[in-house]
Amino acid sequence: SICTRARTRSGLAGGTAPSKRLPRTMRAMFKMAAGRLSSTSALGGMRMAAVCAAGGAAAGTGAVVACSGSKRASATAAQAAGQRRWDGQVLVDVCVVPLGVGVSVRKEVTEVERILRRWEKEGKVKCMLHGYGTNVSGHWDDVMAAIREVHETLHDDLGVTRITSSLRMGTRIDKAQTIEDKLNAVEEGLVKNKGPGAARS
């Protein structure tokens, strides 16, 4: 019959019961349709074939639905266990090196720091200059936008032909930590704990 051929094409023939291949919702639809439609009439057979085909198509998507559900369940379980989701905060150590401008890069580095400090003044990032770069912290989008402006300004306004920038970045979800927090943790350790290095000084 039409229904038998449709069930064969959809993978429901050969001794495999529809209840083992279809998602729960499709099994309910299949049973309801089978109870209402008459398989003895041609019209009933055509309608049953449509139901069988739809059921076979849905069976192929069952794994995807189950996978999505398991991911959502895992995320919910992680939140219930007290794990925080990443809020986009990042700490970046950036070193911008303009190439082809001569031995001294003081002018270019000064401009880089001026841009980053303006972003800090606007409350978008926090920055701290050190001997070989700058620590920049804030939301990922703001930090990357500030670094992009650095490249644009050096290229377009100062005429730097080539720039190479090195970035080291860190993110965490267990707690919020600023640049000052990291420095203070080391300073406190130097005061409280006298390690092996203290004897050699």
Side-chain angles (χ1 to χ4, degrees):
S1 65
I2 298 176
C3 183
T4 301
R5 290 197 297 272
R7 292 177 64 184
T8 302
R9 288 193 297 270
S10 62
L12 298 179
T16 302
S19 60
K20 296 182 179 179
R21 296 294 303 273
L22 298 179
R24 183 179 302 174
T25 54
M26 293 307 301
R27 292 202 303 269
M29 292 176 59
F30 185 91
K31 291 179 180 179
M32 180 178 64
R36 292 182 177 178
L37 298 178
S38 174
S39 60
T40 58
S41 64
L43 180 60
M46 294 175 62
R47 291 178 179 176
M48 186 63 72
V51 173
C52 293
T61 62
V64 178
V65 175
C67 181
S68 301
S70 62
K71 289 182 178 179
R72 289 194 297 268
S74 299
T76 303
Q79 292 179 356
Q83 295 181 6
R84 298 174 54 184
R85 295 181 63 84
W86 182 48
D87 58 1
Q89 294 297 309
V90 62
L91 173 59
V92 175
D93 183 34
V94 55
C95 178
V96 180
V97 182
L99 302 178
V101 297
V103 177
S104 176
V105 293
R106 178 186 301 178
K107 181 176 67 174
E108 291 78 16
V109 172
T110 301
E111 190 61 32
V112 170
E113 192 65 20
R114 180 178 291 112
I115 294 171
L116 295 178
R117 291 191 181 187
R118 174 168 52 78
W119 278 76
E120 183 178 37
K121 186 177 181 180
E122 295 172 356
K124 297 179 179 179
V125 302
K126 290 184 178 181
C127 60
M128 181 175 295
L129 177 68
H130 58 83
Y132 278 94
T134 305
N135 291 140
V136 187
S137 65
H139 192 275
W140 180 284
D141 294 341
D142 293 330
V143 172
M144 296 305 162
I147 295 174
R148 174 177 176 171
E149 183 179 340
V150 165
H151 276 249
E152 289 178 342
T153 301
L154 293 185
H155 282 310
D156 299 342
D157 297 341
L158 272 66
V160 178
T161 303
R162 184 178 177 184
I163 305 168
T164 176
S165 292
S166 300
L167 283 79
R168 293 186 302 165
M169 57 186 65
T171 59
R172 64 188 306 169
I173 61 173
D174 58 329
K175 65 178 181 178
Q177 187 178 49
T178 64
I179 300 173
E180 292 79 4
D181 292 337
K182 295 176 69 67
L183 296 177
N184 291 337
V186 177
E187 294 293 342
E188 291 175 1
L190 292 173
V191 174
K192 295 179 180 179
N193 303 317
K194 300 298 183 180
R200 301 190 185 98
S201 59

